[in-house]
Amino acid sequence: MSSIKTNLSAVNIRTIKAFSDNYIWAITGKNNNSNKTALVDPGDASVCIKFLEENKLTLTTILVTHHHPDHSGGIEKLVTYCQEKQWPLTVYGPATENIPGLDIKLEQDDIIDLPEIAINFTVIDLPGHTAGHIAYFAINSAEPILFCGDTLFSGGCGRLFEGTAKQMLTSLTKLANLPENTAVYCAHEYTQANLMFALAVDPENKELINYSKQVNELRAKEQSTIPTSINIEKKINPFLRSHKQSIQASALLFDKSIQANSLDTFTTIRRWKDQF
Ligand SMILES: [Zn+2]
């Protein structure tokens, strides 16, 4: 976690807190003369407008990962706000979800070129939490960056509202195969609660125990635990570790009827977490 520094990237990434535990991400060009800004998952327009005005930023782009209102509920007000300001705005989102206000509908491998912010994103399809959930992966930063909405959290993963466990495992495997140093910007501060479950599933994991201590210290100071990284999550997140013998053994203790394989293990620990 401490190794993640956004100032290594070609962009600056700032946090806008919304609701009780949502993070809306604001991306601006690293060039100080640039005030052009992209927002990821603006569920609440009012906190975004306050942020833009306080920092004298111009909204040019909205990137949405999925249709849930805490991610998409601010779009229409932000569209109106930009029209009043006469700022050209483009709203991107998943092709297969019904989200009012989208200009561009995205599918796997689509490229979004944002020259005013000096970044390109590649779209990754991630069904599971919702049927059409997507993520945005940036390929032109000093360190890769990922905005993954409610699919991968630090220490956890999204609930299966519309997709199957098999789809979610496939989606998470795509993310696990991204470069290890990818900075992962998820949409909620769920880390501490996720790690309590992770420790129940994987109690002997020393890296998880150490990470949990770091997270508890950050949260005691009300500091964010995000971004995390693919490297950290592969070491500590049980939902990226369902192929590991230790996780399979815990899943078998929870449900003796399952097979010791990745999919049965993933399915079981997702069900276990839902009732934890
Ligand atoms: Zn969601």
Side-chain angles (χ1 to χ4, degrees), residues 153-157 191 194-195 197-198 211 233 236-239 273:
F153 296 119
S154 187
C157 73
T191 313
N194 284 339
L195 294 184
F197 176 72
Y211 181 68
E233 295 309 311
I236 63 94
N237 189 326
F239 296 97
K273 173 72 162 57

Side-chain angles (χ1 to χ4, degrees), residues 22 65-71 129-130 133 149-151 153 158-159 161 187-188 190:
N22 281 69
T65 62
H66 66 295
H67 69 85
H68 286 158
D70 62 318
H71 299 253
H129 176 68
T130 62
H133 196 301
D150 287 353
T151 296
F153 296 119
R159 284 176 185 260
F161 286 120
H188 289 274
Y190 286 162

